[in-house]
Amino acid sequence: MTDQLTICPQERPSAPPMARRTARPTFRGNRVTLRAPRAQDVAGRFALGNSPEINRMFGADPAQTRALTPEAAEAWVEAQMAAPLAWIIEVDGRLLGAVRLHSLNHADHNGQLAVGILDPDKLDQGLGTEAMRLLLAHAFGALALHRLSLRVLAFNARAIASYHKLGFVQEGRARQAALIAGVWHDDLIMGLLATEFVS
């Protein structure tokens, strides 16, 4: 979740409102709140630690998972703060992860999306789907994006099911794109148009 926002240097005059927006509004769903990251989130991130199961879904070797240090927790929060379109996922006042829009192309009104729930006990509860739905409504509404895409490991059935619920379709497969614990895995490329979003 540390990608920096990149902007395509070639813009047409009809750049969408995202080019002019700097504030991060707060979004509230039935259970999930998306809010701007803040320095106080370091304690919340540190409390979540590092989960081998979640690290594997992010493409890391679970056997290489190390205990999260305070410095790493601080670096994670700083990365969210530095990304202009990153939000903290909060449930019942507790930090659970982050969701982010990145690699925006103003000329073509598109970008990419990433999401991470960092508490393994909160998986399979629809919280990630709700967080994504909140952000997608903003992306296709106020930010006037036309298309969003993402990459997901082909074995991550939980995430793929969530993306399908939101309307994402598989557009391609990057074969043997990730080497995890000595085994090659495919990435799926999924995309969503504003007209396909299941709000």
Side-chain angles (χ1 to χ4, degrees):
M1 300 290 294
T2 59
D3 293 349
Q4 296 298 312
L5 178 73
T6 56
I7 301 297
C8 177
Q10 187 177 22
E11 286 191 20
R12 300 187 188 112
S14 60
M18 62 185 165
R20 302 183 299 274
R21 298 177 66 89
T22 55
R24 283 181 245 205
T26 297
F27 306 110
R28 291 184 174 84
N30 292 331
R31 297 173 297 166
V32 171
T33 296
L34 300 186
R35 61 162 177 80
R38 52 193 182 224
Q40 300 92 317
D41 288 325
V42 173
R45 175 62 189 95
F46 182 68
L48 289 172
N50 272 337
S51 161
E53 174 190 2
I54 288 175
N55 281 348
R56 181 172 183 267
M57 297 304 169
F58 291 161
D61 182 349
Q64 300 299 316
T65 300
R66 300 290 180 261
L68 186 70
T69 65
E71 293 77 15
E74 183 176 1
W76 184 89
V77 172
E78 287 176 352
Q80 310 315 310
M81 295 174 72
L85 294 173
W87 282 262
I88 295 298
I89 300 171
E90 186 178 274
V91 174
D92 295 328
R94 180 170 170 256
L95 184 155
L96 290 187
V99 64
R100 184 186 73 253
L101 298 171
H102 64 97
S103 304
L104 299 189
N105 181 319
H106 292 180
D108 296 323
H109 296 230
N110 65 38
Q112 297 179 39
L113 183 145
V115 61
I117 298 288
L118 301 174
D119 184 347
D121 294 333
K122 294 298 183 180
L123 299 175
D124 286 323
Q125 297 181 24
L127 299 173
T129 302
E130 184 176 337
M132 294 258 294
R133 184 172 283 114
L134 290 170
L135 187 55
L136 288 169
H138 180 60
F140 291 133
L143 299 187
L145 291 177
H146 175 68
R147 169 189 161 81
L148 284 169
S149 61
L150 56 82
R151 291 173 72 104
V152 58
L153 286 159
F155 63 73
N156 192 345
R158 178 191 297 117
I160 293 166
S162 172
Y163 302 147
H164 279 306
K165 286 179 186 175
L166 296 164
F168 279 88
V169 298
Q170 182 179 330
E171 298 176 334
R173 178 183 290 262
R175 296 175 300 154
Q176 298 187 9
L179 182 63
I180 304 173
V183 178
W184 289 105
H185 296 275
D186 295 353
D187 266 348
L188 301 184
I189 295 93
M190 302 185 75
L192 177 66
L193 303 180
T195 54
E196 299 168 334
F197 172 45
V198 182
S199 59

